[in-house]
Amino acid sequence: MTEGWSTGKRFASYLPAKGRATTVQFTSARRITNGIDRAEKVAGYAMSFQAALVAGGWA
């Protein structure tokens, strides 16, 4: 996913290098592995995980 082996798209194609990602960005990043299958649900998980990181002091 970091190098784009499966689809030719990498995380960097969808997510910011620094700072927080949006729900739309996480939903789009789902295309790297499984197209848009359950993309909104997975984006919700990613947003929750990101919020926990921020609460823990991640900038």
Side-chain angles (χ1 to χ4, degrees):
M1 293 185 292
T2 57
E3 296 179 13
W5 290 358
S6 296
T7 62
K9 293 283 190 174
R10 309 175 305 156
F11 279 132
S13 300
Y14 299 103
L15 303 174
K18 292 185 179 182
R20 300 177 195 174
T22 66
T23 301
V24 171
Q25 289 171 317
F26 283 129
T27 301
S28 296
R30 179 72 173 151
R31 295 175 188 275
I32 296 169
T33 56
N34 286 15
I36 56 171
D37 179 47
R38 299 186 188 128
E40 291 179 11
K41 186 173 190 172
V42 174
Y45 294 146
M47 291 296 290
S48 295
F49 187 74
Q50 179 175 251
L53 289 171
V54 170
W58 177 71

